[in-house]
Amino acid sequence: MASQRRRSLLTLIFICCAISSASSDQVRTSYGDSDQIRSLCISDRFIMESYFTTSHTSLDDSEFRNFLLLQQCSSEHDPTSIVPATSLIQHRNVTGEGSHRNLLTSIKLLPFYSESKLHELVILERLPLGVFADPFELQSLQQRRVFSDVSVFGDTNLELPSFRSNRSVVEIHVEVSPSDYENGEISLKLPLHARYQPLDDSGYSRVEFGEPDLFLCSSHEQRRCLVLSIGRSKTETRSVFWDIPAGIRGHTEYVSALTFAAAVLSAISILVASVLSSKVESCKNSKQS
Amino acid sequence: MSRGSENTDDEPPKWMSFRSLLVFSMFLRVFLIVYGEWQDAHMEVRYTDVDYIVFSDAASLMASGESPYKRTTYRYSPLLALLLTPHSFFHRSFGKFLFSASDLLVGWFIHTILKERKVPEKICTYSVMVWLFNPFTFTIGTRGNCEPLVCAMILWIIISLMQGKLAQAAFWYGLVVHFRVYPIIYALPIILVLDSQVFRSDQKPPLEDWNTGQTKTPTSNTEKKTILFNLLTALKSLFSRERIMFALISGGVFLACNAVSFYFYGHEFLHEALLYHLTRTDPRHNFSIYFYHIYLHYERQFSAVEKLISFLPQFTVQFALVSCFWQDLVFCIFLQTVAFVAFNKVITAQYFVWFYCLLPLILPWSRMKLKWEGLLCIILWIGAQTHWLLWGYMLEFKGLNVFLQLWAASLLFLAANTFVLVKIIQRHRFSPLFRRYESSSQKHVKKLH
């Protein structure tokens, strides 16, 4: 009992320090609108499982928050009403080159939470329009125990360009053990692929990543999830982006013209060669006509 | 595989006999399949083709009573998933063994066709090696791509025609068009070659073999006839018994397969397996010259007129090739396939197998020497591909905007294809597949004007 009180006190002190050093580059916290949503009670395996089936179409911040509001626990079931919702995203960037890159995120959990019975960290990556995650690739990562569970919801068409597709969201579940609290960081590497971008005169299209939404959940059937942070589509402090090559509108006319010219030229060459080489009389007639 | 008692210069050495080549090829493929399984399990880059995983998933879905089209990007006939259902109770590499076996079967068929046409053993063996030892060929089957099945069916159709078995040829033709839409381009030359002068019922049609024409006296084919005479001749025999029978049987088989598939899988089957291939315009980069044009216009749809105009070069080339070469059926369909792939809106490397399997069948009739014309063609064609792949690498793996350069590389690839095609046409010793029964009245079957 005494140790618990001591722990709560330490946590409060820690939080005060965190607030006071909020301008530091190392620490990122998400407050604001997430104050109102503290915890969720869901019956599905995945938080996003019912999102697209309950007449939600986009993954905008406002629509997403409305969805979460509906999943809120009623107050008597809420065990964590006095706990401040805080998490720390230490580091976030996109690594790699080309059309296939990785979104790296490292998250620090507060030691306070190790006392709770919530052992699963759930990360929701609401992906921007220009990129997608391959569900089959993620499944093989799950088989290799990189994540304990993972699923993609929304537009999972791998082939359409971005202006013909909708956003998707990746829900990742990671088991957290006491050692994760001690060691400090949980690192996530999410493989992503670029879609074909809308045309741009600069030759590149910038895709910006917001912050992920973080929850700490229980592992039972009726899951209780503590809302750690609800990210925003665009961050104020950190800029994580990916410049993807895009077609240049100015090329359109001469590319089309030269393409057809090349096709016609090749067709004529083959036609002439066939006619000249053929020994059949009817082909010689067609050359005259 | 009869061999002479003495090894003359025309006979290949004993170790190069067809049987030993086939056995060696078989072991090579088995080794590659086993290696492929090892690589998949231990390395990040998989040996197995992504398509194979798609087929396997679709086959598992079908085995558990569901639609194979629930698997995204499964765009084939349900027959393929059906063929692979043994995955569930055998090993997951069952399909690879099946495709590699088809690959070996293609080698066997090539040998059979060339022997039927009395090609000397040595040339026969070299031609078969062009297929069996082509690195592209043995990797494609062992990686789990289903194209060797299609190639085997096409060659079987040629063998059936050569043996006069029209119904058999028609059945397999209907089936292969259901399986993969592209063989529809062979319909016209096949129909034209089913001349009643050649195909007497219950008799094997006489084949023009390799030896005739070696002495270069093909003057009998060049009798001048008026356009009108040829036109009337063609129209008169256009609806011959053989042609109608072939059309009805193949059409019937095609429709029956589609009807059964539609019955089980509905609109999903129609859309994914048929319509997708007919209307496919993929803006993502591929060897085709049209990819950048399609990407630049993707935000707005193409009008019907634009689609028609873009189809004209393809149509013209196909029509010209059929008109000029239909009598030399194998050569005709080889040229048609190369041209079809080259002018298509989307070109992926697996399409090349469609004409790789026909290349050994025309080589014995080519006057092209490997040094240096043959080598030049090979180097130009492979060089143009490699050049494209380099720019593709820059775009996809380095993230640089090189769309224009990649598109220029695809134009170069079309130029290389055209050059090789023209050279092959110029060096080919024209040799009709079938010999006509009567030599007196030389009737030319008129092409359709």
Side-chain angles (χ1 to χ4, degrees):
Chain A
M1 207 57 184
S3 64
Q4 234 183 354
R5 237 181 289 135
R6 212 183 305 137
R7 209 159 270 148
S8 305
L9 190 60
L10 280 170
T11 308
L12 279 169
I13 294 169
F14 181 86
I15 288 164
C16 290
C17 294
I19 292 170
S20 68
S21 62
S23 58
S24 112
D25 284 349
Q26 288 291 323
V27 171
R28 296 282 174 265
T29 61
S30 294
Y31 285 109
D33 308 30
S34 59
D35 286 348
Q36 295 176 8
I37 312 170
R38 293 291 169 86
S39 62
L40 310 177
C41 287
I42 55 170
S43 50
D44 297 321
R45 175 90 194 103
F46 293 98
I47 295 174
M48 294 303 282
E49 207 161 316
S50 61
Y51 189 85
F52 290 99
T53 57
T54 51
S55 67
H56 292 97
T57 46
S58 80
L59 285 162
D60 295 343
D61 290 341
S62 51
E63 203 170 335
F64 181 65
R65 281 207 182 79
N66 291 341
F67 170 75
L68 291 182
L69 277 169
L70 293 172
Q71 315 291 317
Q72 263 191 312
C73 298
S74 49
S75 51
E76 37 302 357
H77 293 297
D78 185 352
T80 56
S81 49
I82 54 163
V83 174
T86 311
S87 71
L88 304 170
I89 295 176
Q90 294 274 64
H91 192 57
R92 190 158 161 87
N93 71 344
V94 175
T95 60
E97 284 182 311
S99 306
H100 315 283
R101 301 196 188 186
N102 296 299
L103 181 62
L104 290 182
T105 315
S106 62
I107 301 160
K108 184 171 175 56
L109 285 178
L110 299 177
F112 173 77
Y113 294 118
S114 63
E115 293 295 303
S116 71
K117 295 198 175 49
L118 310 172
H119 298 304
E120 198 166 68
L121 180 65
V122 174
I123 303 107
L124 290 184
E125 286 283 0
R126 284 177 285 145
L127 297 176
L129 202 52
V131 298
F132 66 94
D134 184 348
F136 303 104
E137 186 180 20
L138 295 179
Q139 255 175 29
S140 69
L141 285 178
Q142 188 189 333
Q143 282 163 3
R144 294 208 319 249
R145 311 307 303 158
V146 174
F147 310 129
S148 67
D149 220 338
V150 65
S151 191
V152 186
F153 300 95
D155 192 337
T156 54
N157 188 309
L158 312 179
E159 297 169 333
L160 287 178
S162 75
F163 40 90
R164 290 275 179 92
S165 44
N166 297 305
R167 290 176 68 183
S168 58
V169 53
V170 183
E171 182 167 336
I172 304 169
H173 295 190
V174 177
E175 288 279 329
V176 288
S177 60
S179 60
D180 290 320
Y181 290 99
E182 285 161 23
N183 295 341
E185 276 178 27
I186 297 172
S187 296
L188 281 176
K189 190 163 108 170
L190 179 63
L192 295 175
H193 309 276
R195 290 193 187 280
Y196 258 54
Q197 300 299 304
L199 305 179
D200 193 293
D201 288 324
S202 68
Y204 291 90
S205 171
R206 178 161 286 198
V207 168
E208 289 200 42
F209 290 86
E211 303 281 329
D213 312 305
L214 300 174
F215 306 84
L216 199 57
C217 296
S218 62
S219 315
H220 346 291
E221 279 292 311
Q222 292 296 318
R223 290 155 68 71
R224 264 175 229 149
C225 291
L226 178 65
V227 178
L228 300 181
S229 85
I230 299 179
R232 295 206 177 83
S233 299
K234 281 200 174 356
T235 60
E236 291 109 10
T237 45
R238 174 181 26 233
S239 182
V240 180
F241 59 86
W242 181 353
D243 284 326
I244 302 173
I248 297 173
R249 208 178 298 272
H251 291 165
T252 310
E253 262 105 46
Y254 69 82
V255 163
S256 301
L258 285 174
T259 302
F260 283 111
V264 167
L265 204 61
S266 293
I268 289 173
S269 312
I270 296 169
L271 181 67
V272 168
S274 308
V275 164
L276 288 178
S277 299
S278 168
K279 295 186 171 93
V280 178
E281 174 59 20
S282 48
C283 282
K284 286 177 193 153
N285 290 336
S286 79
K287 188 186 168 190
Q288 290 158 10
S289 64
Chain B
M1 267 44 70
S2 57
R3 313 251 318 118
S5 50
E6 68 284 346
N7 253 347
T8 66
D9 277 343
D10 290 336
E11 301 258 328
K14 216 171 176 128
W15 62 267
M16 237 168 71
S17 75
F18 176 66
R19 187 173 286 156
S20 51
L21 285 179
L22 209 59
V23 169
F24 176 75
S25 302
M26 186 183 74
F27 280 117
L28 174 65
R29 282 147 177 82
V30 169
F31 166 75
L32 283 173
I33 293 174
V34 171
Y35 167 75
E37 293 293 311
W38 178 88
Q39 181 171 327
D40 285 355
H42 293 89
M43 290 171 67
E44 202 168 321
V45 177
R46 302 177 80 113
Y47 181 82
T48 306
D49 198 16
V50 168
D51 275 345
Y52 187 71
I53 300 167
V54 174
F55 305 153
S56 310
D57 291 346
S60 318
L61 283 167
M62 198 188 228
S64 51
E66 296 181 55
S67 163
Y69 298 101
K70 283 213 169 93
R71 181 33 165 109
T72 53
T73 71
Y74 181 74
R75 300 209 167 92
Y76 301 89
S77 162
L79 280 178
L80 180 61
L82 186 68
L83 272 175
L84 295 181
T85 41
H87 269 199
S88 330
F89 36 93
F90 287 142
H91 195 260
R92 64 167 180 264
S93 58
F94 168 79
K96 291 184 189 176
F97 281 102
L98 181 68
F99 301 145
S100 299
S102 314
D103 174 0
L104 293 171
L105 196 62
V106 169
W108 181 283
F109 286 160
I110 291 170
H111 184 83
T112 308
I113 291 171
L114 293 179
K115 281 259 122 351
E116 280 276 338
R117 297 189 75 184
K118 302 196 176 51
V119 173
E121 184 75 30
K122 197 174 187 182
I123 300 178
C124 211
T125 308
Y126 285 135
S127 301
V128 167
M129 279 167 73
V130 166
W131 168 260
L132 287 176
F133 296 149
N134 184 343
F136 194 85
T137 306
F138 56 70
T139 49
I140 210 168
T142 53
R143 289 186 69 209
N145 201 291
C146 70
E147 303 299 344
L149 271 178
V150 181
C151 295
M153 284 197 256
I154 301 280
L155 291 187
W156 182 242
I157 292 165
I158 295 173
I159 292 175
S160 306
L161 287 172
M162 284 166 70
Q163 291 172 345
K165 295 176 183 167
L166 276 188
Q168 184 174 286
F171 171 82
W172 285 98
Y173 185 67
L175 193 64
V176 86
V177 175
H178 162 78
F179 202 78
R180 260 309 206 183
V181 185
Y182 88 90
I184 195 72
I185 62 175
Y186 305 151
L188 192 54
I190 291 177
I191 290 284
L192 285 175
V193 101
L194 292 179
D195 192 338
S196 49
Q197 299 293 318
V198 170
F199 277 85
R200 302 273 170 83
S201 49
D202 302 330
Q203 268 179 330
K204 193 176 148 177
L207 300 174
E208 186 105 4
D209 61 36
W210 190 80
N211 294 310
T212 54
Q214 278 285 53
T215 49
K216 284 193 173 191
T217 51
T219 49
S220 57
N221 287 348
T222 54
E223 282 186 41
K224 287 194 188 297
K225 296 274 186 264
T226 64
I227 300 169
L228 193 62
F229 181 87
N230 286 335
L231 187 63
L232 285 172
T233 314
L235 285 174
K236 193 171 68 178
S237 53
L238 190 61
F239 295 103
S240 69
R241 187 181 149 268
E242 290 78 22
R243 289 177 174 142
I244 292 176
M245 195 173 90
F246 188 90
L248 283 177
I249 296 177
S250 57
V253 169
F254 175 74
L255 288 172
C257 289
N258 286 343
V260 169
S261 306
F262 183 75
Y263 173 76
F264 281 108
Y265 305 112
H267 287 284
E268 259 186 329
F269 154 72
L270 266 184
H271 191 262
E272 297 288 333
L274 283 182
L275 294 176
Y276 171 79
H277 295 290
L278 295 174
T279 58
R280 180 179 185 180
T281 49
D282 202 339
R284 292 174 299 165
H285 57 284
N286 61 86
F287 290 114
S288 172
I289 57 170
Y290 296 105
F291 93 87
Y292 197 25
H293 163 76
I294 290 171
Y295 176 29
L296 291 170
H297 286 90
Y298 213 77
E299 282 168 340
R300 65 168 187 84
Q301 297 282 8
F302 285 116
S303 68
V305 175
E306 279 171 327
K307 283 186 186 167
L308 201 65
I309 291 174
S310 62
F311 188 58
L312 269 179
Q314 174 78 280
F315 182 78
T316 313
V317 169
Q318 292 293 316
F319 191 72
L321 292 172
V322 171
S323 307
C324 297
F325 300 113
W326 62 268
Q327 286 174 304
D328 192 347
L329 182 69
V330 180
F331 185 61
C332 181
I333 67 178
F334 169 78
L335 294 177
Q336 278 187 279
T337 315
V338 176
F340 180 77
V341 172
F343 285 92
N344 205 25
K345 295 276 171 52
V346 174
I347 304 174
T348 61
Q350 70 187 64
Y351 295 173
F352 299 156
V353 197
W354 298 346
F355 51 77
Y356 281 158
C357 67
L358 298 170
L359 180 64
L361 298 176
I362 63 144
L363 283 179
W365 282 266
S366 183
R367 277 179 252 120
M368 198 188 291
K369 297 264 174 282
L370 191 61
K371 293 184 190 174
W372 295 101
E373 214 171 3
L375 269 178
L376 178 68
C377 286
I378 293 171
I379 288 169
L380 275 178
W381 196 74
I382 293 182
Q385 258 185 69
T386 312
H387 174 244
W388 188 97
L389 287 169
L390 281 172
W391 289 112
Y393 175 80
M394 301 282 263
L395 175 67
E396 193 168 337
F397 295 99
K398 292 291 174 194
L400 300 170
N401 185 323
V402 290
F403 282 112
L404 212 55
Q405 294 90 322
L406 195 57
W407 165 72
S410 68
L411 290 183
L412 274 176
F413 184 59
L414 178 68
N417 270 304
T418 308
F419 176 81
V420 170
L421 211 53
V422 165
K423 275 276 165 269
I424 289 177
I425 290 171
Q426 286 173 343
R427 295 284 176 267
H428 180 76
R429 182 166 54 83
F430 184 83
S431 168
L433 185 59
F434 300 112
R435 206 182 315 138
R436 295 172 166 281
Y437 277 107
E438 58 269 274
S439 54
S440 49
S441 53
Q442 287 285 331
K443 293 185 196 172
H444 291 274
V445 176
K446 185 71 170 73
K447 75 182 195 308
L448 305 168
H449 261 308

